[in-house]
């Protein structure tokens, strides 16, 4: 199965790094091969062999040596150290990839207990166009609630800055909201 869509940013960057290193290594090996053939370098153990055969052996050896086998080990050790540091601060980490995800987060939203128990987050404040706004409502019900300027009762739901901010948030979101009736 294709898991490239589930790759973390670190995994994607490591994949790009590996590709770059591979391309550079192949380029260097081709240059070494051409220089060696032009200089007529032959195998010291077998001087009668053609130089191109010896230089192919050298180029392949260089290509194999250029592949960094220690990168995954270094990344795993770094993430493990981050996991250990988080455990000392009473953070429960179940997967090593979560350490990287939390490390790249700039804002973490949580409820009053510090957990995301229901997986539901509702907006209560909005900052748009240099102004603060209070968002009122009841969960996911779109028929209840208003957006007001911070500290006032003035309805600001039709202001251009608020509508632009909400439109950009909507366009960046892949969440779906559906009305489902209870079977009772």
């Amino acid at each position: 199965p294709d898991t490239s869509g589930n790759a973390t940013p670190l995994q994607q960057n490591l994949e790009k790094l590996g590709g770059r290193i591979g391309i550079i290594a192949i380029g260097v090996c081709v240059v070494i091969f051409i220089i060696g053939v032009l200089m007529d370098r032959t195998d010291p153990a077998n001087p009668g062999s053609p130089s191109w055969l010896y230089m192919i052996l050298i180029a392949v050896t260089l290509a194999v040596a250029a592949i960094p086998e220690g990168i995954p080990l270094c990344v795993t050790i770094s993430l493990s150290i981050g996991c250990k540091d988080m455990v000392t601060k009473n953070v429960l980490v179940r997967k090593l990839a979560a350490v990287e995800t939390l490390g790249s987060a700039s804002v973490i939203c949580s409820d009053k207990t510090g957990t995301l128990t229901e997986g539901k987050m509702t907006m209560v404040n909005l900052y748009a166009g240099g102004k603060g706004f209070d968002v009122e409502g009841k969960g996911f019900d779109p028929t209840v609630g208003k957006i007001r300027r911070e500290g006032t009762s003035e309805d600001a739901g039709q202001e251009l800055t608020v509508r632009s901010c909400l439109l950009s948030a909507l366009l960046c979101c892949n969440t779906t909201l559906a009305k489902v009736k209870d079977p009772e």
Side-chain angles (χ1 to χ4, degrees), residues 93-176:
V93 179
R94 296 184 183 172
K95 293 185 180 179
L96 206 53
V99 177
E100 180 219 340
T101 305
L102 285 173
S104 63
S106 58
V107 175
I108 299 175
C109 302
S110 64
D111 65 7
K112 65 182 184 246
T113 62
T115 61
L116 297 172
T117 50
E118 289 187 54
K120 297 179 183 176
M121 301 301 292
T122 54
M123 181 171 53
V124 293
N125 292 335
L126 171 70
Y127 189 76
K131 300 172 196 152
F133 299 92
D134 294 323
V135 180
E136 302 170 358
K138 182 181 176 194
F140 297 111
D141 187 355
T143 61
V144 179
K146 291 189 186 272
I147 298 176
R148 304 181 190 280
R149 281 189 181 262
E150 203 169 49
T152 68
S153 61
E154 177 185 339
D155 185 11
Q158 298 302 316
E159 284 194 29
L160 183 61
T161 55
V162 171
R163 295 178 65 83
S164 298
C165 182
L166 293 176
L167 177 63
S168 64
L170 176 69
L171 294 174
C172 292
C173 182
N174 63 358
T175 304
T176 57

Side-chain angles (χ1 to χ4, degrees), residues 27-51:
V28 167
C29 291
V30 167
V31 169
I32 295 290
F33 173 78
I34 291 170
I35 290 172
V37 170
L38 292 175
M39 293 179 66
D40 198 30
R41 294 285 181 184
T42 58
D43 186 359
N46 189 6
S49 66
S51 65

Side-chain angles (χ1 to χ4, degrees), residues 77-93:
I77 290 171
S78 299
L79 290 176
S80 297
I81 291 170
C83 188
K84 185 184 84 119
D85 291 346
M86 291 174 76
V87 166
T88 60
K89 294 180 180 173
N90 296 326
V91 176
L92 177 63
V93 179

